[in-house]
Amino acid sequence: KLLIIMDWSVFGREILAAGIGCAVADSALNPLEVTKIKLQLQVVGHPVYQTGMFSCMRQCAVEDGVLRGLYMPGLTATLIRAMTYTAFRVGAYPTVRDRVAPGDPDSLPTKLLSGAATGGMASAVFCPVDMVRIRLQADSGTAGCDGVLRTGLRRGRRPRYSGAWDALRKIGVGGAPDLYRGATVTIIRAAMLSSSQLGSYDATKSGLRGMGWEEGPQQHFMASLISGMIAQTVVQPADTIRSFLMNGRHTLWGVGENVRAEGLLWLYRGYWAGISRQGPIMVLQMPLVEQIRQLLGVKPI
């Protein structure tokens, strides 16, 4: 019945608007994602980069240059991820909220449940893209004439991959178990992120409308800023664990060892880089998505 009553033209435009908006925002703020990954993946007790977001970014820029060290690592995977995983996660949210989720579409539980559903489903399908991006960003650095990395997290070793498609091919040799390494944590993370991010964005917009704010860029900006900070704070522990598991053959036992060594603060490694990305990315991403939806003749989220 749902397949019959759905307007697939509208649904397609919702996915397209989300994909374009997210691709622009994610690529513009890729340096903050690279910084977060580098801080999360440093070996406990043997850090390669100075702790602190700005110190890490400065070191990357000095050692590898701004483009090679911060902007380019994993950029292709970031764009693919935006047009697949994020496009579905954000674009499908209004349809799930209005047509699928039980209860009143305007209630907070329905908004949170709808966000969790689209995030979990998108991550379950596109989990390998996440792994490719994390590994490419972990591999970034400058290699010498012998092909060995002189800088980066893996300095002293050769890069594992030449690019996004090479990484997907090589990881895929091991089949689904390798492509979906860390998938459980990744799906949980995506559900938590989407629920807290989209649910709080939608709820904040409703609250602002009740205060007399009209639908428009100012309302979108304020709702985006608040939801971005909420989402990153909620999802950071799962985000750190996901990065750790996807970078190599690490296990949850290794997560426990790191927590015992550094305490629960280990779970918040890269938090300031994450929240510095999540706030601006929402401020850029959601208003842009809303404007593209308007251009494509789709109602606001």
Side-chain angles (χ1 to χ4, degrees):
K1 184 179 179 181
L2 173 64
L3 296 177
I4 297 174
I5 63 175
M6 274 185 62
D7 187 331
W8 289 98
S9 172
V10 172
F11 186 70
R13 281 177 280 158
E14 288 182 317
I15 299 295
L16 179 62
I20 295 172
C22 295
V24 171
D26 287 359
S27 58
L29 295 171
N30 196 53
L32 291 170
E33 180 67 17
V34 172
T35 303
K36 183 193 72 174
I37 293 296
K38 287 180 180 290
L39 290 173
Q40 287 177 333
L41 295 180
Q42 295 198 99
V43 177
V44 173
H46 299 86
V48 171
Y49 291 98
Q50 301 174 44
T51 56
M53 179 182 73
F54 292 112
S55 296
C56 179
M57 293 181 76
R58 183 170 57 250
Q59 185 177 343
C60 289
V62 169
E63 292 183 346
D64 302 313
V66 174
L67 283 177
R68 181 191 290 272
L70 292 169
Y71 269 97
M72 297 308 295
L75 183 59
T76 300
T78 292
L79 291 171
I80 295 171
R81 182 178 183 271
M83 294 301 297
T84 54
Y85 158 75
T86 317
F88 183 85
R89 180 177 71 80
V90 176
Y93 169 77
T95 295
V96 172
R97 178 197 62 198
D98 296 340
R99 296 180 181 271
V100 181
D104 179 6
D106 291 327
S107 70
L108 180 59
T110 298
K111 298 178 195 294
L112 296 175
L113 178 61
S114 301
T118 60
M121 287 187 290
S123 183
V125 175
F126 299 111
C127 184
V129 180
D130 254 337
M131 178 178 291
V132 167
R133 182 171 74 154
I134 288 171
R135 293 200 179 185
L136 288 174
Q137 291 173 343
D139 261 23
S140 64
T142 301
C145 297
D146 57 358
V148 176
L149 290 168
R150 298 287 185 261
T151 61
L153 287 172
R154 291 174 53 82
R155 58 188 69 194
R157 290 175 283 182
R158 294 179 180 275
R160 292 172 289 184
Y161 317 107
S162 61
W165 300 113
D166 182 57
L168 187 61
R169 178 180 62 82
K170 288 180 177 176
I171 297 169
V173 169
D178 282 353
L179 284 171
Y180 282 84
R181 176 173 294 278
T184 301
V185 174
T186 303
I187 292 169
I188 292 171
R189 173 202 174 271
M192 291 170 61
L193 171 67
S194 200
S195 177
S196 57
Q197 183 192 73
L198 297 176
S200 61
Y201 175 78
D202 200 354
T204 302
K205 281 185 65 178
S206 298
L208 292 174
R209 279 196 296 270
M211 295 167 60
W213 289 51
E214 296 183 358
E215 185 77 39
Q218 288 183 324
Q219 183 208 50
H220 301 159
F221 177 90
M222 183 59 67
S224 298
L225 183 62
I226 293 171
S227 63
M229 291 188 291
I230 291 172
Q232 189 62 39
T233 301
V234 168
V235 82
Q236 182 66 34
D239 193 58
T240 301
I241 295 171
R242 176 202 63 159
S243 298
F244 181 75
L245 293 177
M246 282 190 160
N247 185 45
R249 298 193 176 279
H250 300 299
T251 65
L252 288 174
W253 178 262
V255 171
E257 289 182 333
N258 286 337
V259 171
R260 282 192 292 272
E262 291 196 359
L264 291 177
L265 285 178
W266 181 82
L267 295 171
Y268 277 83
R269 270 189 173 194
Y271 173 72
W272 291 112
I275 204 167
S276 296
R277 172 185 177 273
Q278 190 64 239
I281 210 168
M282 283 294 287
V283 166
L284 177 60
Q285 172 182 292
M286 295 309 293
L288 187 56
V289 169
E290 295 274 25
Q291 292 304 307
I292 297 173
R293 288 173 67 92
Q294 184 177 356
L295 288 173
L296 295 178
V298 182
K299 69 178 183 178
I301 293 175

